[in-house]
Amino acid sequence: MIDTLVIGSGHNGLVAACYLAAAGQRVRVLERDSVAGGAVSTVERFPGYRVDRGSSAHLMIRHTPILEELSLADHGLRYIDCDPWAFCPATDNAPPIVFHHDLEKTCASIEAACGAGDAHAYRGFVEVWARRSAAMMSAFTSSPSPLALGKAFWGLPARVPAKGATAGAALSQEFLMSGNALLDSWFESEHLKTALAWFGAQSGPPMNEPGTAPMVGFAAAMHTIPPGRAVGGSGALTEALIRKLHDDGGELALSAAATAIEKEGDGWLVRTADGDVHRARSVISACHILTTLDLLRAGGFDRTTADRWRAQIRIGGGIGMAVRLGGTALPQYPGLPDDTSVHGGLGLLVTDRGHLARAYADATAGDLPRRPALIAMSFSAIDPTLAPPGRHQTSLWAQWHPYQLSGGRSWTDLAATAGQEIINELDRHAPGFAESIEHTYVQTPADLESELGMTGGNIMHVEMSLDQMLMWRPHPELARHRVPGAPGIVLAGASTHPGGGVSGASGRIAASAVLSDRRSPLARITRGRWG
């Protein structure tokens, strides 16, 4: 019997395994796929190209101490700063906006595109929300509770000074605002509001939903530490974690799909599709929460309880889809400098907030968006390892695209059409780019489910709406990363707090929970402290 078995080699599962192996535990990771890393993996989609299967830019994990605590630089991980970290192309009424790591350079771009008033307002916005974003990342360091949240946000002022209980109420109201309301309260220019709203919408919900203000506000943190691009692709993070795991004696088994989690004496038994049986004192399930519930039910866990949880967890109808391109050129956006570093940022390819609203409305009706809203990333401009000499790679993320199509239509039939419409939208912003494309790979919501285990095509696993965050993610009874009635089962992954995106936080929380059960605090095995 080993100490801990981890189901799922997504980055959260690997982060948890690395902490436990470093603490001296015997750890084994089981992965159903033949490729490790889940959505944080990179493969050769086209000859000579290293193409991400899921995430591309890493926004959050560099705001945690995980990289340093696990010494991942010593295991080959290297990041290139995305600087500029984003840009919004020119519209009929305004020149482009370029968001640099340097705040003053960003404000100069905003002033040229939107006026001095909004440039001044943006300085204030960053000053306020950089502190709040840091507090938010601190709140991601432990299982959510009123006490932990209060500790993280204690002392933060409201935008408008207030005293006593009023101060707390004013601050909480700003966090509970919609992203659009927050933007309307700070800025005048629709051009600037659109860029920031689209950045915030990368978490999934539309920016008119309550509680989406912090998703917009996190843009301020990009002036503290910009997004990072792992050299060699997003999967370079996974590769470094695996090297760390192996160096500390941990094991990784690929093509080992778990089929059941069963209680056995003081520990747990996990069966796999190939007939193997693995025994462990603890199990960290770092796969989708619905997959975890299925595994528990298959092992004899109370079906009524599992089905009740399942019915109350909202997966949603998918968020979007991706198109991966290889070819002879980078997109050329009118009005932007002819500088390859610009292509290392997130291309926020939307024209106004109505563009976002219409795309979301179409998806809600089960239809393809009339105009896809795009994020364009051409990281081969700053990392030549991603494409053959003389070639470039561009990844396009498009929202919103429904998992369930109206009228009984199938993604098998519509994949090519949807992919071409996304390419056409990019060509609208970068005229002539389509002529340079030599390779195309389309990932529909159905593909994201089948390849990466993202149920319903939701890259965040569970909707990132206010009712399914913090103490409610993925369900109030499961929100402390534990399964009632199953001692020794710990939850990790995007289904759990703090949610989707590349942060590693839930993996760290899961490792802490296992070590706490063994009376071995996580702080003893780390070189630094967090939270």
Side-chain angles (χ1 to χ4, degrees), residues 254-466:
L254 300 177
S255 301
T259 58
I261 303 173
E262 302 175 22
K263 191 78 177 79
E264 184 182 66
D266 292 334
W268 292 89
L269 178 154
V270 175
R271 301 185 187 275
T272 57
D274 56 10
D276 284 349
V277 175
H278 304 263
R279 291 177 170 83
R281 292 183 175 85
S282 302
V283 174
I284 294 177
S285 189
C287 49
H288 197 287
I289 183 59
L290 297 193
T291 302
T292 300
L293 295 179
D294 289 344
L295 294 173
L296 287 168
R297 289 198 319 176
F301 187 80
D302 181 64
R303 181 176 292 269
T304 300
T305 301
D307 287 350
R308 176 173 60 82
W309 288 334
R310 173 184 278 273
Q312 294 172 346
I313 294 171
R314 189 158 56 88
I315 303 303
I319 296 177
M321 59 180 286
V323 176
R324 316 291 183 174
L325 304 171
T328 59
L330 294 165
Q332 296 300 313
Y333 303 99
L336 284 170
D338 186 17
D339 180 349
T340 57
S341 67
V342 172
H343 294 284
L346 308 178
L348 305 170
L349 307 189
V350 290
T351 53
D352 54 50
R353 286 184 290 175
H355 183 172
L356 299 175
R358 286 185 290 274
Y360 183 77
D362 288 339
T364 302
D367 297 327
L368 299 182
R370 284 161 282 183
R371 280 189 64 190
L374 302 187
I375 293 283
M377 296 162 284
S378 298
F379 291 125
S380 60
I382 58 174
D383 180 5
T385 70
L386 301 177
R391 295 294 187 270
H392 282 286
Q393 181 201 136
T394 294
S395 284
L396 304 175
W397 171 252
Q399 290 178 212
W400 281 264
H401 288 74
Y403 173 76
Q404 191 73 44
L405 293 161
S406 63
R409 295 174 297 169
S410 165
W411 272 112
T412 301
D413 299 327
L414 287 184
T417 297
Q420 188 58 54
E421 289 177 354
I422 289 169
I423 292 171
N424 293 344
E425 182 64 24
L426 172 60
D427 215 48
R428 183 185 302 215
H429 296 279
F433 174 74
E435 298 173 6
S436 71
I437 297 172
E438 297 177 324
H439 306 282
T440 302
Y441 187 86
V442 176
Q443 293 174 286
T444 70
D447 296 325
L448 295 173
E449 179 181 66
S450 61
E451 182 178 15
L452 301 177
M454 294 174 169
T455 302
N458 189 341
I459 61 172
M460 303 297 178
H461 287 199
V462 176
E463 290 281 77
M464 298 274 282
S465 52
L466 184 59

Side-chain angles (χ1 to χ4, degrees), residues 121-371:
Y122 189 78
R123 289 187 184 89
F125 172 82
V126 170
E127 180 180 359
V128 168
W129 278 97
R131 288 185 62 192
R132 293 178 178 181
S133 296
M136 189 165 57
M137 291 304 299
S138 176
F140 290 173
T141 65
S142 60
S143 289
S145 68
L147 180 62
L149 294 174
K151 179 181 177 181
F153 292 99
W154 181 261
L156 284 181
R159 182 180 173 188
V160 177
K163 295 182 178 180
T166 304
L171 179 64
S172 61
Q173 182 184 40
E174 291 180 46
F175 273 87
L176 293 173
M177 293 173 73
S178 72
N180 281 337
L182 178 74
L183 291 167
D184 288 338
S185 74
W186 277 96
F187 307 113
E188 296 293 332
S189 167
E190 183 63 24
H191 193 34
L192 179 57
K193 293 177 189 178
T194 299
L196 294 173
W198 185 215
F199 176 87
Q202 296 312 296
S203 295
M207 288 297 101
N208 61 352
E209 280 198 7
T212 52
M215 299 174 184
V216 172
F218 193 64
M222 302 301 99
H223 296 286
T224 304
I225 303 174
R229 175 62 187 180
V231 174
S234 185
L237 171 60
T238 292
E239 293 164 7
L241 286 166
I242 292 172
R243 284 191 286 268
K244 167 67 174 173
L245 177 66
H246 286 162
D247 284 355
D248 287 333
E251 304 172 18
L252 169 64
L254 300 177
S255 301
T259 58
I261 303 173
E262 302 175 22
K263 191 78 177 79
E264 184 182 66
D266 292 334
W268 292 89
L269 178 154
V270 175
R271 301 185 187 275
T272 57
D274 56 10
D276 284 349
V277 175
H278 304 263
R279 291 177 170 83
R281 292 183 175 85
S282 302
V283 174
I284 294 177
S285 189
C287 49
H288 197 287
I289 183 59
L290 297 193
T291 302
T292 300
L293 295 179
D294 289 344
L295 294 173
L296 287 168
R297 289 198 319 176
F301 187 80
D302 181 64
R303 181 176 292 269
T304 300
T305 301
D307 287 350
R308 176 173 60 82
W309 288 334
R310 173 184 278 273
Q312 294 172 346
I313 294 171
R314 189 158 56 88
I315 303 303
I319 296 177
M321 59 180 286
V323 176
R324 316 291 183 174
L325 304 171
T328 59
L330 294 165
Q332 296 300 313
Y333 303 99
L336 284 170
D338 186 17
D339 180 349
T340 57
S341 67
V342 172
H343 294 284
L346 308 178
L348 305 170
L349 307 189
V350 290
T351 53
D352 54 50
R353 286 184 290 175
H355 183 172
L356 299 175
R358 286 185 290 274
Y360 183 77
D362 288 339
T364 302
D367 297 327
L368 299 182
R370 284 161 282 183
R371 280 189 64 190

